[in-house]
Amino acid sequence: MADGVVLLDTYFSMFGMRARLALAEKGIDYEYKEENLGDKSPVLLEMNPVHKKIPVLIHNGKPVCESLIIVQYIDEVWKDNSPLLPSDPYQRAQARFWADFVDKKVYDAGRRLWTTKGDELETAKKDFIEALKLLEAELGEKPYFGGENFGFVDVALITYSSWFYTYETCGNFSVEEHCPKLMEWVKRCMEKESVSKSLADPKKIYDFVLFLKKKHGFE
Amino acid sequence: MENNNKENVKLVGFWVSPFVQRVRWALKMKGIKKYEYIEEDIYNKSSLLSEINPVYGKVPVLVHNGKPLSESSIILEYIDHVWNDDFVPPLLPRDPYQRAQARFWAKFADQKVLESAWMVLCSEGEKQERAVKEAIEALEKLEEKLKSGNSVFFGGDTIGYLDLMVGFVSYLYPVWEEAASVKILDALKFPALAAWQSDFLNHELIASEYLPPKAEAVAYFRWRRSELIPVYNRMY
């Protein structure tokens, strides 16, 4: 690798997938290191001492942490191909807003879908669908959130789609039924090689979650 | 029509919100003086707010040439992007790695520093003791970050984006400490941050900007504390 890019990550993480996806979009060669979160490597602890979390992008020996910050960094450094953020200031701010919305609303509700039951689970379902509907409305008739081209918000959200099977099965509902246009967008994104090779297998994620549910007593 | 008027700016805010304060400082730094400030009663929200921030219904909202933006960190990046010629100070560093660092610590400031201090304000007894411990842990990391830069401000020799995002520590911490009757930021324990608190507030780029009057702010947060202690007791 000319510029020394390393990614500390875990296969199932929708945050890690964003970094993988951004690197794939830009055609950047890198070394992938799978972390065992139950036994974090000294490199991880050194490179992200504040949070000790993945993903961590290490570029020329210097760490960048937090998935959306990593994606913006990648976009700014490798700026000559496949721009992810719009150049117009207002469009750029809107893209940041919606990516941030994904993290604020989709992540939390999604997590509650497999860690709770009964009334809490029903609330989680309601919140999750509401969040997706708002995103679907924002997508509108555009092929991608980024407009004609795959962009920042697309990167931020598409990685969650690998977890949809898990959310749907645990919550007993169908994303397609509530948000058909969003599922069309998912299918459109999955046709891109960068996306299909960066996302984890939904069934493997579900098996992993079943393991976690047993381990932490979420059943 | 004022389409090309860079200064057609409105800020919808709440007098004591630290998030709104950041935007005030950013506008001040960029020399944007002629903007309309609209005070929103967040306990009795107007239809304007639900129109310009339909997703969250919160302040601050910046409206520039009729187009609204919310979320303080996003507003600051927008302001930096639009008002960026040679005559105004930059907010974010130009180097992508430094920018990533600034964004990382800004997120830390919100999720760990501000959150933990808010929990101190809204708790008592054992819960508050635990919250103080967490708040101190967060400040320790921030202190280390400031020291590691070997300069007065988070932005280097002058203030920048990260100083604005951490800025609430300078004037709101003393208010929350007084309202909650507890000390978090001990100057002996946090010498760099303590020095930064006054250096920041006195910096010529923002020193003359509005700050919520202290006595009123303390009274307000005392009231919020009394309202929220029972709520948080049930939740956590």
Side-chain angles (χ1 to χ4, degrees):
Chain A
M1 293 152 296
D3 261 28
V5 181
V6 179
L7 180 67
L8 306 181
D9 195 359
T10 60
Y11 177 69
F12 301 113
S13 165
M14 67 278 273
F15 303 108
M17 286 177 224
R18 288 166 169 175
R20 282 176 248 165
L21 180 46
L23 291 164
E25 276 287 296
K26 301 283 187 175
I28 300 162
D29 276 328
Y30 66 99
E31 188 188 339
Y32 178 89
K33 286 201 165 128
E34 178 79 11
E35 281 285 329
N36 174 1
L37 296 182
D39 185 19
K40 293 174 181 178
S41 75
V43 183
L44 176 56
L45 298 177
E46 191 196 320
M47 292 288 156
N48 191 356
V50 175
H51 300 302
K52 305 178 175 61
K53 285 181 168 178
I54 56 89
V56 179
L57 186 83
I58 308 172
H59 184 207
N60 294 332
K62 296 192 292 186
V64 181
C65 309
E66 299 295 309
S67 64
L68 292 181
I69 294 175
I70 291 172
V71 174
Q72 285 179 88
Y73 174 79
I74 290 169
D75 200 41
E76 285 168 21
V77 172
W78 289 273
K79 57 183 184 291
D80 293 327
N81 56 321
S82 305
L84 294 171
L85 276 141
S87 49
D88 171 73
Y90 188 73
Q91 304 291 351
R92 190 190 286 251
Q94 287 297 94
R96 290 197 169 111
F97 175 87
W98 286 105
D100 176 66
F101 176 85
V102 172
D103 277 348
K104 277 188 162 84
K105 298 289 181 184
V106 181
Y107 177 71
D108 179 67
R111 190 163 197 283
R112 282 183 279 135
L113 281 170
W114 62 271
T115 56
T116 65
K117 46 187 189 241
D119 284 341
E120 274 187 81
L121 176 55
E122 289 309 304
T123 307
K125 208 191 299 187
K126 188 175 145 291
D127 293 342
F128 184 77
I129 291 167
E130 229 172 75
L132 286 193
K133 280 197 144 111
L134 270 172
L135 285 159
E136 192 181 51
E138 172 57 24
L139 176 68
E141 298 303 316
K142 306 194 293 289
Y144 301 106
F145 284 91
E148 290 305 310
N149 298 309
F150 190 77
F152 188 62
V153 182
D154 300 280
V155 172
L157 183 59
I158 194 60
T159 61
Y160 279 87
S161 71
S162 61
W163 278 72
F164 280 179
Y165 177 74
T166 297
Y167 295 149
E168 288 169 320
T169 310
C170 293
N172 191 25
F173 70 103
S174 151
V175 173
E176 178 134 35
E177 194 188 304
H178 296 274
C179 305
K181 284 222 135 111
L182 199 68
M183 282 315 289
E184 271 172 37
W185 165 82
V186 171
K187 288 177 189 130
R188 191 176 302 126
C189 291
M190 290 301 286
E191 283 166 15
K192 287 170 65 67
E193 199 195 331
S194 58
V195 175
S196 57
K197 81 174 186 186
S198 302
L199 266 50
D201 180 298
K203 297 271 164 68
K204 286 192 179 153
I205 292 175
Y206 181 63
D207 288 338
F208 171 63
V209 167
L210 285 181
F211 162 74
L212 285 180
K213 274 161 92 73
K214 226 186 203 132
K215 184 175 176 200
H216 297 286
F218 290 136
E219 319 179 278
Chain B
M1 289 283 274
E2 290 170 294
N3 279 332
N4 293 318
N5 181 359
K6 263 188 166 176
E7 305 229 346
N8 181 7
V9 175
K10 289 197 212 329
L11 173 63
V12 180
F14 182 60
W15 66 284
V16 83
S17 158
F19 308 104
V20 174
Q21 191 64 42
R22 290 167 177 167
V23 182
R24 287 188 197 263
W25 283 327
L27 292 169
K28 183 69 159 214
M29 279 184 69
K30 295 290 189 177
I32 302 159
K33 300 184 186 108
K34 288 184 295 192
Y35 65 92
E36 187 189 345
Y37 175 81
I38 300 168
E39 175 74 6
E40 177 75 27
D41 177 0
I42 60 173
Y43 299 101
N44 194 7
K45 290 181 182 179
S46 70
S47 54
L48 169 70
L49 190 59
S50 52
E51 215 179 284
I52 57 177
N53 191 354
V55 176
Y56 299 117
K58 287 180 169 180
V59 295
V61 182
L62 186 83
V63 186
H64 183 214
N65 292 332
K67 297 193 285 190
L69 270 177
S70 62
E71 297 302 298
S72 59
S73 61
I74 294 172
I75 293 172
L76 258 55
E77 293 226 27
Y78 174 79
I79 289 171
D80 198 32
H81 198 169
V82 173
W83 285 272
N84 71 344
D85 57 39
D86 290 334
F87 307 106
V88 291
L91 293 182
L92 280 128
R94 291 294 179 241
D95 170 71
Y97 183 74
Q98 299 299 336
R99 288 165 84 85
Q101 289 297 299
R103 286 173 180 144
F104 174 89
W105 284 101
K107 191 170 179 188
F108 180 83
D110 273 346
Q111 290 188 335
K112 301 288 180 187
V113 182
L114 191 143
E115 260 305 301
S116 58
W118 183 252
M119 286 309 293
V120 172
L121 179 71
C122 301
S123 60
E124 56 188 357
E126 228 181 87
K127 275 205 170 93
Q128 192 185 56
E129 278 170 34
R130 277 200 301 270
V132 170
K133 198 167 153 291
E134 275 190 43
I136 286 175
E137 267 169 38
L139 281 182
E140 279 166 356
K141 298 195 164 95
L142 203 62
E143 172 87 2
E144 208 186 300
K145 165 66 183 167
L146 184 56
K147 281 187 173 141
S148 73
N150 279 321
S151 43
V152 181
F153 301 106
F154 289 97
D157 292 327
T158 185
I159 59 176
Y161 170 80
L162 188 51
D163 296 277
L164 299 196
M165 292 296 285
V166 177
F168 64 90
V169 174
S170 69
Y171 76 97
L172 211 50
Y173 252 59
V175 169
W176 288 356
E177 284 172 338
E178 196 175 319
S181 309
V182 69
K183 190 86 183 144
I184 315 171
L185 204 162
D186 178 351
L188 290 174
K189 221 179 168 258
F190 300 105
L193 278 173
W196 169 86
Q197 279 178 310
S198 53
D199 287 334
F200 172 72
L201 286 174
N202 291 318
H203 194 286
E204 57 173 1
L205 286 175
I206 55 138
S208 61
E209 180 55 45
Y210 163 90
L211 273 178
K214 188 164 185 203
E216 278 95 322
V218 172
Y220 171 82
F221 284 112
R222 274 212 173 105
W223 168 68
R224 287 306 284 148
R225 175 177 160 77
S226 66
E227 296 274 298
L228 288 172
I229 282 177
V231 174
Y232 281 43
N233 266 337
R234 284 195 296 273
M235 280 167 70
Y236 300 111

